[in-house]
């Protein structure tokens, strides 16, 4: 992937793309709220200028409005370290308080410039500029959320980069969730002298969903006429407070959660056949090396040259059970024929793998929805990034098999919710430690 950046970046910076877990920076020192009462206070902007500012109103509050502003040491970021992909969410506040600025603003400006003046980092680290959210509130601060991803295989390079850019000089603790928090804990401690605070992966995910849905009105949507290229369109459909619903998180594997309120949810099922399965089989069968390559191949392929359909067995529809003739009866069933196997094209194999994995996920989601008696299923995760084929297939399948009663919904920020949730946890952790006068280390 070619670089599209404004200044030179070390080649050893961030690298590829992949799936989920989460990490966040935690304060080296704790700062009590700077202003009390209703008096305005001086605020230092990132560019170094001061201005008078009234106390924050409820419009600045992201989660609760019954506490004063809190300003932990910067930078404010969260990382979701998955089995395939790492996602980083960085919050760029419009201003910081003077007591923070005196000690940290210069280093923060260096980090800010590096993260926001580039769209790519090294060979494969990417900032998803189209997902950027401006003017959003977090704990009485207003700013911009930036979304960055790179492959989990580049995690060690990221740690070295973070060390080189001075992140460990501002913090002593990292807040993490998911498998990567355990896999890299020892390495982070050795290389950056940082300790980990681990947070629950699913709690971070659901917290992130609620936050983004609240502050991005057109976050969730469904497809109308998903299989018709001419008339297919995305239709906004908010899930805010529309409980209950299912969340199907598709990363390397798949987890299914029943969400009954902002605080009540549980994991109800899962499967090992997910995004990692698709990429692994594509690498094995086609020689591709990245998720993007696999999806690009699949988009050009025809799975009917690989799969055995109902019409291949019955000569048409199986009307007794309302099975259309183009329904897959046996995934890769045509590969039993030596001649077909010899002539199989890489793009057809990739498409068949994609259809197989997507059908499995759709069937699982449909059964879970029926069992939980819900009519809304939210599909998210990095498996769906640049993967409109699977989203449209899931949309059609959920509508067809439920006879129009169950709707498949999707979200614009796909796999970043765990990282957002961990960012929120960082803010809460800092406030709790400030309140108790203790260290953030555990």
């Amino acid at each position: 992937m070619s670089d599209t950046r404004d200044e030179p970046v070390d080649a050893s910076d961030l690298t590829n793309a992949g799936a989920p877990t989460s990490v966040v920076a935690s304060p080296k020192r704790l700062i009590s709220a700077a202003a009390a009462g209703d008096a305005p206070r001086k605020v230092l902007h990132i560019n170094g200028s001061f201005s008078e500012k009234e106390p924050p109103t409820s419009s600045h509050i992201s989660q609760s409005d019954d506490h004063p502003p809190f300003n932990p040491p910067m930078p404010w970021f969260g990382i979701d370290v998955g089995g395939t992909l790492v996602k980083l969410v960085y919050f760029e506040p419009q201003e910081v308080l003077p007591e923070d600025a005196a000690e940290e603003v210069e280093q923060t400006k260096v980090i800010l410039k590096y993260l926001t003046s580039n769209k790519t980092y090294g060979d494969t680290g990417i900032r998803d500029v189209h997902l950027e959210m401006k003017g959003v509130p977090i704990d009485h601060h207003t700013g911009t959320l930036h979304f960055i991803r790179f492959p989990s295989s580049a995690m060690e390079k990221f740690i070295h980069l973070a060390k080189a850019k001075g992140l460990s000089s501002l913090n002593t603790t990292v807040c993490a969730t998911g498998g990567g928090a355990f896999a890299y804990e020892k390495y982070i401690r050795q290389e950056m002298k940082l300790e980990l605070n681990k947070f629950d992966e699913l709690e971070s995910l659901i917290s992130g969903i609620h936050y983004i849905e609240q502050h991005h009105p057109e976050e969730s949507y469904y497809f109308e006429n998903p299989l018709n290229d001419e008339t297919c369109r995305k239709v906004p459909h908010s899930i805010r407070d529309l409980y209950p619903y299912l969340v199907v998180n598709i990363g390397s594997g798949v987890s299914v959660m029943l969400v009954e309120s902002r605080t009540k949810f549980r994991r109800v099922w899962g499967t090992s056949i997910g995004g990692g399965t698709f990429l692994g089989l594509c690498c094995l069968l086609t020689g591709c090396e990245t998720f993007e390559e696999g999806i690009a191949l699949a988009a050009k392929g025809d799975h009917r040259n690989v799969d055995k359909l109902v019409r291949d067995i019955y000569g048409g529809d199986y009307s007794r059970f309302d099975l259309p003739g183009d329904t897959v009866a046996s995934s890769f069933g045509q590969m039993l024929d030596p001649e077909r196997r010899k002539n199989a094209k890489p793009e057809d194999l990739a498409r068949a793998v994609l259809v197989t994995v997507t059908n499995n996920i759709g069937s699982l989601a449909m059964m879970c929805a029926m069992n939980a008696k819900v009519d809304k299923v939210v599909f998210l995760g990095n498996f769906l990034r640049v993967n409109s084929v699977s989203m449209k297939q899931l949309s059609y399948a959920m509508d067809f098999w439920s006879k129009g009663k169950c709707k498949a919904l999707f979200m614009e920020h796909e796999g970043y919710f765990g990282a957002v949730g961990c960012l929120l946890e960082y803010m809460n952790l800092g406030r709790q430690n400030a309140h108790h006068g203790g260290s953030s280390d555990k």
Side-chain angles (χ1 to χ4, degrees), residues 16-255:
N16 247 36
T21 311
S22 303
V23 184
V24 177
S26 165
K28 170 164 282 190
R29 58 186 180 79
L30 293 168
I31 304 172
S32 60
D38 297 326
R41 66 186 187 279
K42 285 185 179 293
V43 177
L44 178 64
H45 295 265
I46 292 296
N47 63 11
S49 64
F50 281 92
S51 67
E52 298 288 328
K53 181 175 180 179
E54 295 296 329
T57 65
S58 60
S59 64
H60 294 84
I61 302 172
S62 64
Q63 288 186 299
S64 62
D65 55 3
D66 56 353
H67 55 65
F70 180 66
N71 195 52
M74 295 173 65
W76 299 342
F77 69 94
I79 304 177
D80 185 347
V81 187
T84 310
L85 193 67
V86 177
K87 284 83 60 184
L88 184 149
V89 175
Y90 172 67
F91 181 65
E92 175 194 352
Q94 292 176 355
E95 66 243 351
V96 292
L97 297 180
E99 54 266 47
D100 282 341
E103 185 175 320
E104 300 169 3
V105 73
E106 289 304 320
Q107 183 63 50
T108 298
K109 286 166 67 176
V110 171
I111 296 170
L112 172 64
K113 182 179 180 182
Y114 175 76
L115 290 177
T116 61
S117 64
N118 299 292
K119 295 180 182 178
T120 64
Y121 312 86
D123 297 329
T124 47
I126 296 172
R127 180 161 61 94
D128 287 316
V129 181
H130 67 288
L131 295 179
E132 186 176 288
M133 292 175 61
K134 296 182 177 181
V136 295
I138 291 185
D139 203 75
H140 296 258
H141 297 279
T142 301
T144 301
L145 284 176
H146 301 278
F147 300 86
I148 298 169
R149 56 184 163 85
F150 59 94
S152 300
S153 59
M155 187 61 184
E156 290 189 8
K157 289 185 178 181
F158 165 74
I159 292 171
H160 286 291
L161 172 65
K163 182 179 179 181
K165 295 300 179 181
L167 292 182
S168 58
S169 68
L170 300 178
N171 304 283
T172 59
T173 303
V174 170
C175 301
T177 184
F182 297 90
Y184 292 100
E185 179 175 15
K186 183 177 180 181
Y187 194 78
I188 290 172
R189 183 185 296 118
Q190 289 176 343
E191 294 297 320
M192 300 184 69
K193 307 297 189 255
L194 295 176
E195 296 298 324
L196 290 185
N197 263 296
K198 303 180 189 71
F199 292 99
D200 181 77
E201 186 174 1
L202 300 185
E203 286 186 5
S204 295
L205 175 73
I206 300 301
S207 173
I209 290 173
H210 283 132
Y211 175 84
I212 296 293
E213 179 69 21
Q214 179 180 0
H215 298 292
H216 189 223
E218 296 190 351
E219 175 65 27
S220 51
Y221 62 92
Y222 66 90
F223 283 100
E224 189 176 84
N225 304 320
L227 299 188
N228 188 321
D229 291 338
E230 294 184 357
T231 61
C232 177
R233 68 186 186 99
K234 290 165 60 172
V235 181
H237 186 89
S238 176
I239 60 170
R240 186 177 178 182
D241 298 327
L242 292 181
Y243 306 107
Y245 55 83
L246 287 183
V247 169
V248 181
N249 187 34
I250 315 171
S252 297
V254 180
S255 286

Side-chain angles (χ1 to χ4, degrees), residues 250-251 274-275 278 291 295 354 357-358 361 381-385 387 390:
I250 315 171
F278 166 72
F291 179 76
I295 291 295
L354 186 62
V357 171
T358 303
I361 295 170
N382 275 284
F383 174 70
L384 299 177
R385 181 173 53 81
N387 185 7
S390 288

Side-chain angles (χ1 to χ4, degrees), residues 15 46 79 123 157 178 191 231 272 275 287 350 355 359 388-389 442:
T15 300
I46 292 296
I79 304 177
D123 297 329
K157 289 185 178 181
E191 294 297 320
T231 61
S272 61
V355 169
N359 280 344
S388 61
V389 172
K442 286 187 179 181

Side-chain angles (χ1 to χ4, degrees), residues 276-342:
T277 310
F278 166 72
L279 181 54
L281 287 176
C282 274
C283 292
L284 188 66
L285 295 173
T286 72
C288 74
E289 295 185 358
T290 68
F291 179 76
E292 288 82 2
E293 288 180 14
I295 291 295
L297 269 178
K300 299 184 295 184
D302 188 342
H303 74 97
R304 295 172 295 183
N305 295 326
V306 177
D307 294 335
K308 182 165 287 189
L309 309 182
V310 167
R311 67 166 176 255
D312 296 324
I313 301 173
Y314 290 93
D317 298 345
Y318 190 6
S319 55
R320 180 181 178 187
F321 293 106
D322 296 325
L323 288 173
D326 59 358
T327 302
V328 176
S330 175
S331 297
F332 284 78
Q334 299 287 19
M335 294 298 94
L336 300 177
D337 185 328
E339 191 66 23
R340 284 180 176 269
R341 193 161 60 241
K342 184 176 70 173

